[in-house]
Amino acid sequence: MFEFTEADLKANKRGQLSQSQKEWLKMVGKGGVRLQSFNVWIAIGFLFLGLCLILALFLQNEDTRAALFANPSNVWIFPVLVVVVVSILALSMLLARWNANKLQNAALSSASGNVRFDRDSSGESSITTYYVIVGKKKFKFGDDISGDFREGEKYRFYYCKAGFYEFVMSYERK
């Protein structure tokens, strides 16, 4: 899970990210933007598919065509809906780019103290979240990593927090 080299740890001890860590953070940010871009195109496809189906249903016969054009607000609702949905999707892309920029320029922080473990399970989804608590800082993981650390011993974690991302970059036992 933790993929850092001795050079990464040395740079982190100096309060800096190594070049490979900077590149990795940049790659993660770009991946998030690409994923969001893909999601936006899928959402636009479903938006236009839905609009086409609704219009096809309205234009099937004379009575439904008359109902569509009977009220002017029925005609205006489609362009307004498109503008609202496209605006929300554009905002999501801006947020993804903002998070990528924040991640690319993330500052390194550290936390040290005795390690404790905790877990939280959601009864409905049966998803378990594992926590490693270092001093007063709580790190969240999707997998149980209690085998990587000795509970009660002192560690120092070097991490980056940018937006909703938080990554442990390296650690050392004190």
Side-chain angles (χ1 to χ4, degrees):
M1 170 165 284
F2 299 103
E3 297 178 13
F4 62 92
T5 64
E6 194 62 38
D8 294 335
L9 181 59
K10 284 181 184 177
N12 293 163
K13 285 181 181 181
R14 291 190 311 267
Q16 301 171 339
L17 291 167
S18 69
Q19 191 60 36
S20 63
Q21 289 173 328
K22 288 178 185 177
E23 289 298 318
W24 183 79
L25 289 171
K26 185 178 179 180
M27 211 172 53
V28 169
K30 284 183 177 181
V33 171
R34 277 194 309 269
L35 179 64
Q36 187 61 29
S37 177
F38 179 73
N39 291 339
V40 164
W41 283 112
I42 288 175
I44 288 173
F46 276 111
L47 169 71
F48 285 110
L49 176 67
L51 288 175
C52 289
L53 287 173
I54 290 170
L55 283 174
L57 289 173
F58 266 117
L59 299 176
Q60 269 186 345
N61 61 46
E62 190 174 323
D63 290 338
T64 56
R65 278 192 296 275
L68 174 64
F69 296 111
N71 188 347
S73 66
N74 289 346
V75 177
W76 283 102
I77 195 75
F78 294 115
V80 168
L81 182 65
V82 169
V83 168
V84 167
V85 170
V86 168
S87 297
I88 291 170
L89 294 174
L91 185 63
S92 74
M93 279 302 300
L94 285 173
L95 183 63
R97 290 181 194 279
W98 178 75
N99 275 326
N101 273 350
K102 232 178 151 177
L103 194 57
Q104 193 171 347
N105 300 314
L108 186 69
S109 300
S110 67
S112 61
N114 293 334
V115 166
R116 293 181 296 131
F117 301 111
D118 196 8
R119 74 171 74 188
D120 184 28
S121 295
S122 170
E124 294 177 13
S125 66
S126 71
I127 294 176
T128 302
T129 303
Y130 299 93
Y131 297 99
V132 176
I133 303 159
V134 181
K136 294 181 181 181
K137 178 71 177 142
K138 188 183 264 191
F139 296 96
K140 188 185 300 188
F141 297 95
D143 297 322
D144 185 9
I145 60 165
S146 60
D148 294 351
F149 306 102
R150 293 186 186 153
E151 191 163 15
E153 291 199 13
K154 191 170 186 172
Y155 285 84
R156 173 165 291 185
F157 277 42
Y158 299 96
Y159 66 96
C160 287
K161 178 149 178 65
F164 58 87
Y165 293 109
E166 185 173 63
F167 296 111
V168 174
M169 304 308 289
S170 65
Y171 65 87
E172 62 182 332
R173 197 164 109 198
K174 289 295 202 168

